[in-house]
Amino acid sequence: MAEILGREFQGLQEQRIIAFKQLDEAHKAFLASAPNYETQFDDYKKEVSQVTDKFQSVSKEIIKIKKELDSEYSGTRLGELIGRVQELEEKKLHRVVDYQLAAQQALDNPGDDLCEKNAKLIKQDVDKTCELIMEILTEIRYEIAEIESVSR
């Protein structure tokens, strides 16, 4: 049963990845409308709202899975690993928003080295967070495989 919960988590994580891609595409379209952001603002706002709803829905389901794993399957590391992914995904979301604002500021202020450097540093932090998430997702895959091999 723990492996089933692990697989459910993986499916939800895929949904979260798709939502991040939607957010990124919406932001790119918004930035492409510079300096007349008003033309894309309503579409961007609508997309952000939809993605935010998706993130909340996915997070609620993942938290349920984590709680069940912690209470029913404490002998595995799945609950702990999923909790770490959840924390990092939350950090990633906040940093992505910071990056979007910094990227817009850099676009609006061409030649401003400080704005460009700020956006670059935030993007590096987002990338590092993504790498950490990927490492933990790999650990989760191995943990699920181990659980499946024991339960056969």
Side-chain angles (χ1 to χ4, degrees):
M1 181 66 173
E3 68 275 12
I4 293 170
L5 293 171
R7 298 277 182 220
E8 284 180 31
F9 163 77
Q10 289 175 319
L12 290 165
Q13 185 64 23
E14 285 296 319
Q15 290 178 32
R16 188 161 31 201
I17 290 167
I18 291 167
F20 265 113
K21 287 180 183 176
Q22 288 175 302
L23 183 61
D24 186 51
E25 291 302 316
H27 187 250
K28 285 178 183 173
F30 178 68
L31 289 182
S33 69
N36 302 316
Y37 295 115
E38 310 82 41
T39 61
Q40 286 292 319
F41 185 69
D42 286 340
D43 290 341
Y44 177 63
K45 193 167 76 169
K46 180 179 165 188
E47 191 70 32
V48 168
S49 177
Q50 290 173 349
V51 169
T52 299
D53 290 346
K54 184 64 174 177
F55 282 142
Q56 288 175 342
S57 170
V58 167
S59 287
K60 284 180 185 176
E61 290 301 311
I62 288 174
I63 289 167
K64 284 183 196 175
I65 289 170
K66 182 194 177 321
K67 284 181 180 176
E68 186 170 350
L69 285 166
D70 287 344
S71 66
E72 303 293 323
Y73 304 97
S74 59
T76 73
R77 295 182 53 226
L78 275 179
E80 171 198 339
L81 293 170
I82 288 171
R84 286 175 46 203
V85 169
Q86 187 69 12
E87 290 169 9
L88 287 169
E89 286 287 0
E90 189 174 317
K91 175 187 176 186
K92 177 182 160 186
L93 179 57
H94 290 289
R95 295 307 282 163
V96 164
V97 170
D98 291 343
Y99 171 70
Q100 289 180 345
L101 294 171
Q104 181 180 350
Q105 190 176 28
L107 184 65
D108 291 344
N109 297 287
D112 186 331
D113 292 340
L114 188 59
C115 286
E116 290 174 17
K117 185 176 182 178
N118 185 43
K120 185 178 178 181
L121 288 172
I122 295 170
K123 178 69 169 126
Q124 288 173 347
D125 188 44
V126 169
D127 292 344
K128 184 176 180 174
T129 303
C130 289
E131 288 174 22
L132 291 170
I133 291 168
M134 292 305 295
E135 288 173 12
I136 297 169
L137 291 175
T138 299
E139 287 184 57
I140 288 171
R141 278 193 294 279
Y142 286 129
E143 185 74 14
I144 291 170
E146 186 176 321
I147 293 167
E148 287 175 337
S149 70
V150 169
S151 65
R152 287 183 189 163

